[in-house]
Each structure stands twice: as C-alpha cells, then as structure tokens.
Amino acid sequence: MSVSVLLLRGINVGGRRSLPMAELRAILEGLGAEDVATYIQSGNAVFRGEVSAEAIADGIEAAKGFRPQALVMSRERLEKVMAANPFGKEGEADGKSVHAWFFDAAPKALEDETLALATKTERVEVTDTAAYLHAPDGIGRSKLAATLEKALGVPATARNWRTVMAIAKLVQERR
C-alpha cells in the first residue's frame, strides 16, 4: 500500500478554523486511510492508502464546517522535493531558516520586483514542484516570504525544513 503525505493550509491559526489532529486522524481513517500519523497542529499527516485531496477537503468541510486547502503527495514526490532543495545544507543546520512552498500546478517565474524584496541574506529558488527560501534572519518579517505565494500564481502551502524532515521521518517509518 502506498504512503501519502497530506499538507493542509490555514488551519489552527489564531484560534480560527480549529482542527485538532485527533479529529484529522479520524477523518482520514473514515476515508479509508490507514496507519495515520500527524505532526504538530498545522495539518501535516502521513498515511497509507489512496485518499484524494478533494475527498479530504470534503470530509473536513462536512465535519468542521470549513474547507481548507489540501495537498496530497506521494512519498516519491516528497523525496524529490527534498532532494532538489538548493539550501539543504542550511536547512539541516537550522531547520527554521529554510522553507519550502509546495504546490500542485506549475508556478509562474518570479518577477524582478518580487526578487527585489529579498534582503541581502535571503535566497530563493523555484522548481516545478516547490519553491525554496533560505531566510537566515527569519521569515516573520520577510517581505519576500509574505508575497511568495501570490508571486508564484498558484495555491501553495509552506513548511519550514525542520517540519519537512519530521514528515520525512514519519514517511520512512511507514515504508
């Protein structure tokens, strides 16, 4: 049975769109997912089985009354995104300084005015499946990070590299 990764966007933020991970696990199991594990409260899950992002969003909407953006990817796709990270060394040294934006459609190329938002220490790379930002001074005040999804022109959800590595560990445990 295949292993899949679920990334939800916009849940458990500021007390809104609350979705406890125990409820997310129950929703996924109700949709046929097996061996479900979650990581932190931001909507990261790993499971065995084939459950679509649409079915998950439908299930959450039916149970909770809101519909989050859901992205489901294969173990192989996660591994590809991780291998393509041009800032992997930096991410291993400081997992909070590197972020990956995941998306399902081809992004637009970043325009010069977007790239000009980067500070002297920030670096960004975009591939067909992810965008990577190394922000050693943090992304909380990063103008580039704040505008990256809009600049990419596709719905995206970001995770810091520490979270990506933790998700990868959950995937490895299910191989």
Side-chain angles (χ1 to χ4, degrees):
M1 190 177 296
S2 65
V3 176
S4 297
V5 175
L6 167 66
L7 303 178
L8 295 176
R9 178 163 183 238
I11 66 160
N12 299 331
V13 178
R16 295 183 346 210
R17 296 168 57 112
S18 176
L19 178 59
M21 294 300 95
E23 290 182 36
L24 175 59
R25 288 190 296 273
I27 290 167
L28 291 170
E29 289 167 355
L31 294 169
E34 298 178 12
D35 196 17
V36 179
T38 55
Y39 177 72
I40 63 175
Q41 296 297 312
S42 58
N44 307 295
V46 175
F47 59 90
R48 292 183 184 280
E50 301 291 329
V51 183
S52 72
E54 183 80 14
I56 293 167
D58 288 347
I60 294 169
E61 185 173 33
K64 302 299 290 181
F66 64 87
R67 184 179 190 83
Q69 178 185 321
L71 185 143
V72 174
M73 70 180 122
S74 67
R75 170 187 58 82
E76 294 83 9
R77 177 163 172 216
L78 177 66
E79 290 170 353
K80 179 181 174 185
V81 167
M82 292 181 74
N85 182 358
F87 313 121
K89 185 173 154 186
E90 295 87 344
E92 287 181 25
D94 179 6
K96 289 186 175 183
S97 72
V98 174
H99 288 73
W101 275 255
F102 296 84
F103 35 81
D104 273 338
K108 296 186 321 188
L110 296 180
E111 296 179 4
D112 289 342
E113 58 249 18
T114 299
L115 295 171
L117 296 172
T119 66
K120 292 181 193 260
T121 61
E122 292 177 334
R123 297 177 293 155
V124 65
E125 297 278 337
V126 179
T127 70
D128 60 343
T129 57
Y132 306 90
L133 174 64
H134 180 228
D137 300 326
I139 70 160
R141 289 183 222 130
S142 172
K143 292 178 183 176
L144 178 58
T147 62
L148 195 54
E149 180 181 8
K150 183 176 180 182
L152 293 168
V154 292
T157 188
R159 299 296 187 271
N160 71 38
W161 205 248
R162 180 182 292 173
T163 297
V164 173
M165 290 189 304
I167 292 168
K169 183 177 179 195
L170 291 175
V171 168
Q172 289 297 331
E173 292 169 354
R174 280 152 186 76
R175 285 189 98 165

